């Protein structure tokens, strides 16, 4: 390969990375209940690409049974021992949206839905558990 061809390839690669860095490679997808409930867990879980639209879909005051109708049964909740590990004190449901395994540790992202004493949604957000 000559120097000119190498410079061209390097320039194209840099341009592609630059476009992705400013949002050109957006991987977000709209919320879809069937995709959410049937998603397998792991690094490529489609739930992680739906979090923005899922938060927008769930209005404050939505009752827990309606949340379960949309998202299915949670992967963990207030009654599990994971509640203490995640540091959440309110009643909640948590859905695994992504899992990473590194060389010496792991990271799991959860989509959390918190409820008040009447089982109405207070807020929803993403939290990360490091291990």
């Amino acid at each position: 390969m000559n120097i000119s061809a190498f410079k061209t390839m390097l320039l194209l690669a840099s341009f592609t990375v630059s476009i992705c860095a400013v949002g050109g490679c957006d991987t977000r997808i709209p919320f879809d209940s069937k995709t959410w409930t049937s998603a397998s867990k792991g690094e490529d879980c489609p739930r992680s690409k739906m979090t923005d639209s899922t938060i927008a879909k769930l209005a404050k005051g939505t009752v827990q049974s309606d949340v379960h109708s949309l998202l299915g049964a949670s992967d963990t909740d207030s009654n599990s021992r994971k509640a203490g590990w995640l540091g959440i004190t309110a009643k909640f449901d948590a859905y695994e949206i992504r899992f990473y395994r590194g060389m010496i540790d792991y990271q799991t992202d959860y989509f959390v839905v918190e409820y008040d004493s009447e089982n109405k949604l207070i807020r929803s957000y993403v939290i990360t558990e490091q291990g």
Side-chain angles (χ1 to χ4, degrees):
M1 177 183 299
N2 64 35
I3 298 293
S4 179
F6 178 74
K7 285 181 179 179
T8 301
M9 282 182 15
L10 187 59
L11 181 63
L12 286 173
S14 298
F15 181 70
T16 302
V17 169
S18 297
I19 289 173
C20 289
V22 295
C25 295
D26 191 358
T27 58
R28 289 179 284 180
I29 59 176
F31 175 78
D32 178 73
S33 185
K34 185 175 180 180
T35 301
W36 181 280
T37 56
S38 64
S40 60
K41 314 291 186 303
E43 280 189 47
D44 296 324
C45 179
R47 289 178 175 180
S48 65
K49 298 171 186 163
M50 289 187 228
T51 53
D52 291 342
S53 57
T54 306
I55 289 171
K57 185 106 177 143
L58 297 172
K60 187 175 180 176
T62 303
V63 294
Q64 187 176 24
S65 60
D66 289 346
V67 172
H68 288 176
S69 292
L70 283 171
L71 306 181
S74 64
D75 297 316
T76 190
D77 60 29
S78 310
N79 299 318
S80 75
R81 63 185 193 154
K82 191 163 286 271
W85 297 340
L86 294 175
I88 304 168
T89 56
K91 181 176 182 179
F92 74 94
D93 287 318
Y95 299 84
E96 186 178 314
I97 57 173
R98 193 175 359 204
F99 177 81
Y100 308 90
R101 183 173 298 281
M103 293 292 286
I104 54 175
D105 64 353
Y106 69 90
Q107 175 178 320
T108 306
D109 295 339
Y110 290 95
F111 180 76
V112 176
V113 182
E114 289 186 8
Y115 306 98
D116 64 17
S117 59
E118 297 175 354
N119 292 331
K120 292 183 180 176
L121 188 146
I122 301 170
R123 65 185 182 136
S124 57
Y125 54 93
V126 175
I127 191 170
T128 299
E129 175 191 24
Q130 303 253 348

